[in-house]
């Protein structure tokens, strides 16, 4: 009889644990980060362009000239794409050529090119 009682108690404890533990993990804070502002995206674009120039990283097979470090971060154009990605367009300081940076919702550079074509994210 004592064994049966112990078994029932163990099953009850297991049932309560099974029902309550998922509730402990069901809390906020795992969603998308706060949206980035145009000013933040402009500064990120300038920072990434500076790094790419300093490191000599080629963009679509072309090294960026030092002039790209002088991009005016307040004059970038921003488009929000699918899944919270941002397309940030910056114009060459001397005019003409534009460069497009794909920035993920966390502010990290995901891609860069001169056409603004980021496939399925449009």
């Amino acid at each position: 009889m004592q064994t049966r009682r112990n078994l029932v108690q163990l099953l009850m404890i297991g049932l309560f644990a099974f029902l309550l533990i998922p509730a402990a993990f069901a809390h906020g804070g795992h969603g998308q980060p706060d949206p980035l502002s145009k000013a933040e995206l402009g500064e990120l674009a300038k920072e990434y362009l500076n790094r790419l120039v300093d490191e000599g990283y080629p963009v679509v097979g072309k090294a960026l000239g030092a002039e790209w470090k002088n991009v005016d971060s307040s004059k970038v154009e921003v488009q929000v794409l699918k899944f919270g990605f941002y397309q940030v367009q910056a114009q060459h300081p001397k005019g003409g050529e534009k460069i497009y940076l794909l920035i993920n919702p966390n502010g990290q550079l995901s891609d860069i090119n001169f056409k603004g074509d980021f496939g399925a994210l449009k």
Side-chain angles (χ1 to χ4, degrees):
M1 192 62 147
Q2 185 66 24
T3 307
R4 182 180 279 181
R5 178 178 276 167
N6 289 344
L7 183 60
V8 169
Q9 286 176 343
L10 185 61
L11 286 173
M12 292 300 288
I13 291 170
L15 178 63
F16 283 117
F18 178 76
L19 294 174
L20 294 177
I21 288 176
F25 291 106
H27 59 276
H30 297 291
Q32 290 288 341
D34 291 335
L36 298 170
S37 69
K38 181 179 178 182
E40 290 172 317
L41 289 163
E43 288 301 316
L44 283 171
K46 185 170 181 68
E47 180 182 322
Y48 286 127
L49 288 170
N50 286 343
R51 275 199 230 161
L52 293 170
V53 169
D54 289 344
E55 295 173 11
Y57 185 85
V59 175
V60 193
K62 177 181 175 184
L64 297 177
E67 307 86 31
W68 281 106
K69 293 178 80 170
N70 299 321
V71 163
D72 185 348
S73 62
S74 67
K75 293 186 177 177
V76 299
E77 292 184 28
V78 175
Q79 182 180 359
V80 179
L81 305 177
K82 291 179 183 175
F83 311 113
F85 279 79
Y86 302 94
Q87 176 179 293
V88 181
Q89 174 191 307
Q91 187 163 356
H92 192 279
K94 294 183 179 176
E97 194 170 33
K98 295 178 183 176
I99 196 164
Y100 299 85
L101 297 90
L102 180 65
I103 297 178
N104 75 17
N106 295 316
Q108 297 169 331
L109 181 64
S110 295
D111 198 0
I112 185 168
N113 63 47
F114 294 103
K115 294 184 178 180
D117 181 17
F118 297 113
L121 291 175
K122 284 272 182 175

